[in-house]
Amino acid sequence: MSTGRRAWTTALFTVAALTAVLGVTPHRAPVVEPQDELTVRVDTGQVRGARSGAHRVFFGIPYAGPPTGVHRWAAPRPAGHWSGVRDTSRPGPLCPQVPSAYADISSLEEDCLVLNVTAPPKGRGGPRPVLVWIHGDGSVGGGEFFGARGLADRGVVVVTINYRLGIFGGYAQQGLPGSGTFGLQDQQAALRWVQRNAASFGGDPTRVTVAGSSFGAAAITGHLTSPGARGLFHRAVLSSGEGMMDMPAGMMGPEVPGYPWYVWRPAREMREISAEMTASLGCASADPAGTLECLRGLPVKTILKVPHIMNAFQAFGYGNEVLPQLPPTALGAGRFHRVPVLSGATLDEHRTFVGMQYDAVGAPFTTDDYDRALSTAFGADAAVVAREYPVSDFPSPALAWATVVTDRMWALGTAAQHSVLSQRVPLYAYEFADRDAPMYLPLPGDFDFGAFHAGDTPYVFDDAEARAHFTPAQWRLSDTMTDYWAAFARTGAPAAARGVPPWPRYAPGAPVPYTQSLAPDAIGPVDYVRGHRLEFWRRLG
């Protein structure tokens, strides 16, 4: 593996025959009607959940069969049926993953294609909107970590999912159908499950919102352009999405090369990454079928021992049946599913990454580092950028560099995505701007993370550690944001009925397209273009 590509894999934070399931013939459970609202029938059997306050929660419901053996690196297959009532009161297995600097969790379990449902109590009234959450990162995590009591309080049925991560979701090989997209296929299988089963939990399968942050939001950008996702969702929420973001050299680390797109890779490159990352496993063969058979026979533990084998696949392959075209190209041409979109980013996106690499881990980013980083990223234009962002204007070189990358990479990409989407569908843009948002990652150093990447997630989804530090004003912001998200799931517009500030649509032709700033006791319009100096970056090219 080249030095540049190896650096890229270490720097990323964000950045599979129904007649033979597990070797047995599936059978339908006897028809026994649920005895109470905690027992629900889905298409594969009955499940019994638990109460969480006023709500019902169901964990670990299989939405697809185990991606094991010959089904490793294959399209998700139907889940098997079970008899009796399945206990879903406790979380199911996480997909294979290894601990990281920011998430001390691990799993060796491949039978992990499960989802969780948080549902309001049964009551009168019509079916309720459904929100399906796709977590971020792509190499670690699971749906169980995102509590949804706030959204359920507002009448939303929330589904959080597990999907194949890292090499298990992104492996590619010549002649292997679906190469580089198995995680995306899992997500679509979960959305099909929602279409079949949402009504059993009081949900409305005609009002499904798919929402995600970071890598999860990028996945949704892919689903917007994927033929297989047509009709599976009716609104989309993209938080800190990277779908139209490029990456100049050095922005994710001094040795990381530039890429034309942050998360999209052509099929050839996905195959090359796969071959390089699995070379040490002893399965390389002139016969691709032999290589695949060997790799499918390896224990999960053996595969996970390869350094960086999970981070290397925080990207999606295109040029296949799942993503026939590069998603930014499809978006720009208007070839995407017409659904309302709520989309935004945080004010200080890149402070997370600079802090994790430098100041927050005891390796301060210096003025010399800043000069070198500008030169690596911008070449002959480095001096021009330095004049626009003089290091003396910032409390530290680290914050100067984080601001440059936030504006050039994150904000410019976010604005480009807003522009192409808003020309054809209703779009509501936001910027999360709470610079005192509680840092929930286990980072030791003293660093001002500001309104950091994914810092908005605990304001909508329950995170006890982050919320333990909320001030009264932050609780009010959280309530308002949850109102907005629930209203969007319900109607396709963030127009809540609880007296919250109005949120007009983003108008691409307006002198200042409307972007809602979300900060404690300070919700209102912000000039996103001016705030992130986007005209400067557009002129620079």
Side-chain angles (χ1 to χ4, degrees):
M1 174 177 285
S2 67
T3 300
R5 184 171 291 162
R6 186 178 302 279
W8 159 245
T9 64
T10 58
L12 269 178
F13 168 74
T14 59
V15 47
L18 184 58
T19 58
V21 177
L22 290 178
V24 298
T25 301
H27 57 278
R28 293 191 177 276
V31 177
V32 178
E33 292 305 316
Q35 300 301 306
D36 57 64
E37 68 174 358
L38 293 181
T39 304
V40 172
R41 177 174 295 283
V42 297
D43 60 344
T44 46
Q46 290 189 88
V47 296
R48 181 173 177 81
R51 294 194 187 279
S52 176
H55 309 305
R56 300 171 293 152
V57 292
F58 305 82
F59 291 104
I61 304 175
Y63 67 83
T68 55
V70 297
H71 298 283
R72 180 188 285 175
W73 301 311
R77 53 182 170 146
H81 291 73
W82 57 84
S83 60
V85 180
R86 186 184 186 105
D87 179 20
T88 58
S89 62
R90 295 178 296 275
L94 295 170
C95 288
Q97 54 195 277
V98 296
S100 71
Y102 47 86
D104 188 18
I105 52 178
S106 62
S107 175
L108 300 176
E109 181 58 69
E110 280 189 280
D111 187 1
C112 63
L113 300 185
V114 300
L115 51 75
N116 317 294
V117 181
T118 301
K122 286 184 177 179
R124 297 179 180 179
R128 304 170 186 270
V130 181
L131 185 143
V132 180
W133 175 253
I134 301 176
H135 70 81
D137 191 281
S139 65
V140 69
E144 69 185 69
F145 300 114
F146 299 89
R149 290 172 297 180
L151 288 166
D153 282 341
R154 292 156 176 83
V156 180
V157 176
V158 180
V159 179
T160 66
I161 70 173
N162 293 356
Y163 58 92
R164 281 175 283 185
L165 304 169
I167 185 173
F168 297 96
Y171 179 79
Q173 183 179 289
Q174 185 70 43
L176 177 63
S179 285
T181 68
F182 299 112
L184 286 175
Q185 292 184 64
D186 293 343
Q187 295 162 16
Q188 292 184 9
L191 289 167
R192 290 192 293 271
W193 185 96
V194 169
Q195 287 297 306
R196 300 191 305 270
N197 294 290
S200 296
F201 300 89
D204 184 352
T206 70
R207 285 189 296 167
V208 174
T209 298
V210 61
S213 177
S214 192
F215 188 81
I220 295 169
T221 302
H223 294 312
L224 284 169
T225 72
S226 173
R230 183 179 301 278
L232 297 183
F233 58 93
H234 315 95
R235 307 108 163 69
V237 178
L238 310 175
S239 298
S240 297
E242 303 121 345
M244 290 194 68
M245 194 167 80
D246 68 337
M247 186 177 70
M251 287 198 168
M252 291 301 294
E255 303 299 326
V256 181
Y259 283 85
W261 300 106
Y262 190 71
V263 294
W264 314 115
R265 299 287 180 270
R268 172 191 52 77
E269 188 169 338
M270 292 300 291
R271 293 195 298 267
E272 291 175 352
I273 293 172
S274 299
E276 291 172 345
M277 293 306 301
T278 60
S280 65
L281 293 172
C283 287
S285 168
D287 176 16
T291 299
L292 185 60
E293 181 180 9
C294 176
L295 289 172
R296 282 174 167 167
L298 294 176
V300 170
K301 186 176 183 178
T302 299
I303 295 173
L304 292 181
K305 286 181 179 178
V306 177
H308 317 309
I309 202 164
M310 298 301 281
N311 283 349
F313 293 88
Q314 288 186 327
F316 304 106
Y318 68 88
N320 49 60
E321 60 272 29
V322 179
L323 293 177
Q325 193 173 19
L326 175 67
T329 299
L331 291 178
R335 292 189 288 271
F336 62 90
H337 309 312
R338 301 293 199 264
V339 300
V341 176
L342 189 154
S343 175
T346 71
L347 177 60
D348 303 303
E349 288 281 359
H350 208 69
R351 289 195 191 184
T352 302
F353 306 92
V354 172
M356 287 177 62
Q357 289 181 278
Y358 299 104
D359 292 46
V361 293
F365 189 84
T366 67
T367 300
D368 287 342
D369 291 329
Y370 184 59
D371 292 340
R372 283 192 293 268
L374 292 177
S375 179
T376 298
F378 305 111
D381 291 323
V384 177
V385 178
R387 286 194 296 271
E388 184 70 18
Y389 295 82
V391 70
S392 59
D393 282 0
F394 298 88
S396 69
L399 291 180
W401 177 236
T403 303
V404 168
V405 184
T406 293
D407 293 356
R408 166 58 185 84
M409 194 168 77
W410 294 91
L412 197 62
T414 298
Q417 184 161 271
H418 290 174
S419 179
V420 298
L421 289 171
S422 64
Q423 292 175 32
R424 295 176 172 87
V425 299
L427 184 133
Y428 300 88
Y430 76 88
E431 178 171 72
F432 177 76
D434 184 1
R435 281 186 156 157
D436 293 316
M439 168 51 68
Y440 52 83
L441 300 176
L443 298 173
D446 182 16
F447 183 71
D448 182 4
F449 284 97
F452 60 95
H453 178 73
D456 50 344
T457 302
Y459 286 70
V460 179
F461 290 91
D462 306 335
D463 185 304
E465 184 174 347
R467 291 184 169 201
H469 303 284
F470 274 7
T471 65
Q474 288 172 326
W475 275 113
R476 290 191 291 272
L477 175 62
S478 175
D479 284 340
T480 301
M481 289 176 60
T482 309
D483 284 342
Y484 281 140
W485 266 240
F488 183 77
R490 187 165 52 249
T491 69
R498 298 177 58 180
V500 300
W503 188 338
R505 284 175 56 172
Y506 183 98
V512 182
Y514 192 92
T515 298
Q516 188 84 303
S517 177
L518 301 172
D521 295 335
I523 296 175
V526 63
D527 189 338
Y528 193 76
V529 172
R530 183 177 180 181
H532 292 283
R533 313 186 203 196
L534 298 188
E535 290 302 332
F536 166 79
W537 292 110
R538 289 164 180 163
R539 289 194 304 269
L540 195 65

